[in-house]
Amino acid sequence: MEGIGLSIFIYLVGLFILYIVIETAVKRGINSSIIGRYIEEKYDIKEDKTSFLDDDLDKD
């Protein structure tokens, strides 16, 4: 029974890491694209949202 719980936990951790990687890649891809830069300039959109993932232990 412990093996199943551990497998599910590892699976969920892997999905979370995959989510972070895909979200970052899409966000950087859109922001660095020509259309993304055009929309930022046209509508004066600056994303200043901070995430708990932005806090890095090296900053302290």
Side-chain angles (χ1 to χ4, degrees):
M1 216 38 151
E2 291 178 15
I4 294 172
L6 182 62
S7 296
I8 292 172
F9 177 74
I10 290 173
Y11 179 74
L12 291 176
V13 169
L15 283 179
F16 181 71
I17 292 171
L18 184 63
Y19 168 77
I20 292 171
V21 169
I22 291 173
E23 180 193 19
T24 305
V26 168
K27 188 182 295 184
R28 285 186 184 166
I30 291 173
N31 289 342
S32 65
S33 71
I34 295 170
I35 295 174
R37 286 184 275 159
Y38 172 75
I39 292 172
E40 283 182 352
E41 291 173 5
K42 183 176 180 181
Y43 296 109
D44 197 29
I45 299 173
K46 298 293 178 193
E47 186 172 334
D48 293 332
K49 291 182 183 178
T50 57
S51 170
F52 74 95
L53 297 173
D54 293 337
D55 295 334
D56 192 2
L57 295 175
D58 295 336
K59 291 181 182 177
D60 293 336

